[in-house]
Amino acid sequence: MSNFKNSMIEVFTTNIENEFQAEKIIEILEKNSPHIKIDFDLSETEFPYPCGHTILRVEGTAINNQHIISLVKELGFLCDILEDKLCKSE
């Protein structure tokens, strides 16, 4: 991540599956919120969402969580703030 002064980081879980989808999401989020830095961790697990997920990381001095979630969902993907939770294998 960059070194934004007084920045905060918010982490979201998504069901975005590949680099092409991630790049489109980043493009739209940056257009709507140019003051934030965005990246993805596309490592997935074998569990279903939300335990099997990809990570959307957002850094900036002002992050509007609901706006980000809304934009990602409007594009047809799941998106939630990452919560501390344990996922059990079935």
Side-chain angles (χ1 to χ4, degrees):
M1 288 288 187
S2 70
N3 33 347
F4 281 85
K5 188 175 183 177
N6 299 318
S7 68
M8 50 198 249
I9 297 173
E10 193 66 70
V11 181
F12 302 86
T13 58
T14 74
N15 66 337
I16 293 164
E17 297 178 351
N18 59 55
E19 193 71 33
F20 176 76
Q21 293 171 336
E23 288 173 8
K24 292 303 264 183
I25 298 291
I26 289 171
E27 179 183 320
I28 290 166
L29 289 174
E30 286 179 341
K31 182 178 179 184
N32 284 278
S33 301
H35 61 281
I36 61 175
K37 179 167 175 51
I38 304 159
D39 68 65
F40 275 94
D41 176 355
L42 296 174
S43 302
E44 294 190 53
T45 69
E46 67 267 7
F47 300 112
Y49 184 87
C51 292
H53 59 266
T54 53
I55 295 293
L56 164 61
R57 209 173 287 106
V58 179
E59 179 180 1
T61 55
I63 300 171
N64 184 335
N65 294 340
Q66 292 308 313
H67 182 68
I68 291 168
I69 290 169
S70 177
L71 282 172
V72 173
K73 287 183 174 182
E74 284 176 19
L75 295 166
F77 298 99
L78 299 173
C79 183
D80 295 292
I81 295 173
L82 178 66
E83 296 180 21
D84 291 332
K85 92 168 49 169
L86 294 175
C87 295
K88 298 178 183 178
S89 60
E90 296 180 30

